[in-house]
Amino acid sequence: MPSLFRLKPAQLRSNTPGKLSDGGGLYFITSKSGRKSWAYIYTSPITGKRREMGLGSYPAVPIQQAREMAAKWRAIKEEGKDPVAQRNREQLEAQEHSLTLRYVLEQAFEARKSALKGEGVNGRWWSALNTHVLPKIGNKPIEEVSPADLIKVLKPIWHSKQEVAKKAMQRLKIGFAHALDMGLDVRLDTTERAQRLLGKQISKAQPFPSMPLSDLPAYYRKLEELGTVQARALQLVILTARRSGEIRRMRLSDIVDDVWNVPPEDMKGRVGQHQSPQRVPLSKEALRVIELTKPHARNGYLFPRQAKHARERNPFLQENAMSDLMKAHETGYVPHGFRATFRTWAAEMSLPYDAAEIQQGHEVRKKVERSYNQADLLEQRRVIMQNWADVVTEEAGSNVISLHLNASHIN
């Protein structure tokens, strides 16, 4: 074809900036900096607009290869398709079906998400990976990922952000195990080798700062006076000794008389560990707080998401609402610490261990024993939580003698 293959070897050696046509939409481009490259320039059959598709740099891509590439995309254009859009689709399909680290981790997640809380929709399974691992090595074939690769991405946070690094390593271990199950050529000990080379982490874990029992009644009165949705939620965290996440998700339909039935999916841990709702007895004070809060309920949730956060995904109170309130009060404590305050009080009062643990949503028996002994000690816990509410509100006084007298009704 006379209009094709116009360029001569001497023209490729020239450093004069500009575009030289080889015919058929193929151009040889020399930039002002002297960089040389190929491009296929055409009019899109879809939009009618002029488009430029890069075909690589010269001499890495020789003229014959550039001509073959241009011929391919001319044929695509003659079919009525836009070459750039077609190439983007092909690259996306190749990436989706390539066995990269990212792809295998996605497959591993899909296989396990049914056992995760809320099927992992809140993103916590992915957060450490998305922040520290996948942006750097996510597109690398998992069969080529080495301990050195893992060390490179995790070393900056291995000691400074230990929990995040641990979570990332745990997810990676799951990914490599899944890759092995897929029949890929990976070493299952890749993560263990990387972990040994990164070195032992020195534990910096600190218990949640908990408010002393002597300060609790005064703080509870402060929350009562405040009377906001966040304050009411924090009151129920104190009165029930449950996790703040469970309180935030509290539904009116889960409250029957003086019992709150906490759904399995709202409890900490995997859904498979809890087959049925857990019964939580509500003291008279807890029921009073719930009644005061009901006018604010929305979409079935006792503590709905606040107006300024209404566009966010979850319909219930935002995660940091209660901790932000305590920060504003400059207490130096966190909501989770009230669980420790309750547990310390229960231990000092020699209250039944199993009852106190069950109240906080802890497993107190091994799996086999739980299948036979399913007692949840509701009546015993009902007395304990009423006594606890009396202590919090100072209905029973605050001296040790009266607390022991209350405990005597339980033992």
Side-chain angles (χ1 to χ4, degrees), residues 340-359:
T341 307
F342 165 80
R343 197 63 189 83
T344 302
W345 167 80
E348 290 176 346
M349 294 301 101
S350 300
L351 302 181
Y353 175 85
D354 280 13
E357 287 292 289
I358 292 172
Q359 178 63 28

Side-chain angles (χ1 to χ4, degrees), residues 193-257:
R193 291 161 62 199
Q195 194 163 338
R196 287 195 296 270
L197 291 169
L198 283 166
K200 185 176 181 179
Q201 292 177 322
I202 300 173
S203 178
K204 297 180 180 179
Q206 297 292 330
F208 289 100
S210 57
M211 184 176 291
L213 185 59
S214 58
D215 295 342
L216 184 52
Y219 186 66
Y220 187 85
R221 287 196 299 272
K222 184 174 183 176
L223 295 174
E224 176 66 23
E225 293 168 0
L226 189 59
T228 63
V229 171
Q230 295 94 325
R232 297 297 185 202
L234 201 49
Q235 284 179 281
L236 282 184
V237 167
I238 296 170
L239 293 168
T240 62
R242 301 294 295 197
R243 296 179 177 88
S244 59
E246 295 171 354
I247 297 295
R248 291 188 299 110
R249 295 175 175 84
M250 182 180 279
R251 302 170 185 84
L252 290 171
S253 59
D254 294 330
I255 301 171
V256 180
D257 297 327

Side-chain angles (χ1 to χ4, degrees), residues 99-377:
L99 299 175
T100 62
L101 176 63
R102 184 190 304 275
Y103 175 78
V104 174
L105 283 170
E106 287 171 351
Q107 298 307 301
F109 172 76
E110 287 297 317
R112 288 159 178 79
K113 71 177 184 179
S114 62
L116 299 175
K117 182 177 179 180
E119 294 196 341
V121 295
N122 59 10
R124 289 188 178 181
W125 201 91
W126 288 102
S127 58
L129 295 171
N130 285 335
T131 303
H132 302 284
V133 178
L134 297 181
K136 298 175 182 177
I137 61 172
N139 292 328
K140 188 170 186 176
I142 194 169
E143 293 179 324
E144 298 177 13
V145 175
S146 67
D149 293 319
L150 304 187
I151 291 170
K152 184 177 180 180
V153 296
L154 293 180
K155 188 174 182 179
I157 62 169
W158 189 247
H159 295 292
S160 61
K161 297 180 179 178
Q162 293 186 11
E163 288 305 312
V164 175
K166 281 182 182 178
K167 287 180 180 179
M169 191 68 85
Q170 289 167 357
R171 308 309 192 245
L172 287 165
K173 186 174 183 178
I174 291 171
F176 275 90
H178 194 82
L180 197 65
D181 292 340
M182 293 171 66
L184 300 182
D185 185 18
V186 297
R187 289 189 56 167
L188 191 57
D189 66 346
T190 300
T191 53
E192 285 85 352
R193 291 161 62 199
Q195 194 163 338
R196 287 195 296 270
L197 291 169
L198 283 166
K200 185 176 181 179
Q201 292 177 322
I202 300 173
S203 178
K204 297 180 180 179
Q206 297 292 330
F208 289 100
S210 57
M211 184 176 291
L213 185 59
S214 58
D215 295 342
L216 184 52
Y219 186 66
Y220 187 85
R221 287 196 299 272
K222 184 174 183 176
L223 295 174
E224 176 66 23
E225 293 168 0
L226 189 59
T228 63
V229 171
Q230 295 94 325
R232 297 297 185 202
L234 201 49
Q235 284 179 281
L236 282 184
V237 167
I238 296 170
L239 293 168
T240 62
R242 301 294 295 197
R243 296 179 177 88
S244 59
E246 295 171 354
I247 297 295
R248 291 188 299 110
R249 295 175 175 84
M250 182 180 279
R251 302 170 185 84
L252 290 171
S253 59
D254 294 330
I255 301 171
V256 180
D257 297 327
D258 65 344
V259 174
W260 168 33
N261 298 287
V262 183
E265 62 270 19
D266 286 351
M267 287 182 270
K268 184 178 181 181
R270 298 187 176 186
V271 174
Q273 292 177 344
H274 306 281
Q275 301 301 325
S276 59
Q278 187 173 45
R279 298 190 296 176
V280 175
L282 297 169
S283 64
K284 294 177 182 178
E285 175 65 10
L287 290 170
R288 185 188 70 85
V289 172
I290 289 171
E291 286 300 318
L292 290 172
T293 312
K294 279 183 178 180
H296 302 284
R298 189 168 63 249
N299 297 325
Y301 288 93
L302 187 64
F303 301 104
R305 183 166 291 277
Q306 301 302 288
K308 64 179 179 180
H309 300 279
R311 293 185 179 181
E312 297 183 27
R313 180 171 52 200
N314 294 324
F316 42 81
L317 194 64
Q318 55 272 25
E319 185 174 1
N320 296 325
M322 287 179 268
S323 57
D324 288 345
L325 179 60
M326 294 191 75
K327 285 179 183 177
H329 291 162
E330 298 182 348
T331 63
Y333 307 114
V334 296
H336 200 83
F338 290 121
R339 288 165 58 80
T341 307
F342 165 80
R343 197 63 189 83
T344 302
W345 167 80
E348 290 176 346
M349 294 301 101
S350 300
L351 302 181
Y353 175 85
D354 280 13
E357 287 292 289
I358 292 172
Q359 178 63 28
Q360 294 199 296
H362 295 156
E363 296 288 4
V364 295
R365 309 179 190 97
K366 293 182 179 179
K367 184 176 181 180
V368 173
E369 184 182 354
R370 289 200 305 271
S371 68
Y372 290 96
N373 184 356
Q374 300 179 17
D376 69 354
L377 309 179

Side-chain angles (χ1 to χ4, degrees), residues 7 9-21 27-37 58:
L7 292 174
Q11 292 176 288
L12 304 182
R13 294 192 292 269
S14 173
N15 292 321
T16 303
K19 294 180 181 179
L20 299 175
S21 173
Y27 285 83
F28 182 73
I29 303 172
T30 304
S31 67
K32 292 182 180 179
S33 64
R35 181 179 178 275
K36 300 176 181 180
S37 61
Y58 177 84

Side-chain angles (χ1 to χ4, degrees), residues 42-59:
Y42 65 96
T43 300
S44 171
I46 307 299
T47 65
K49 295 182 179 180
R50 182 180 173 86
R51 303 199 70 173
E52 182 173 316
M53 172 190 283
L55 300 180
S57 60
Y58 177 84

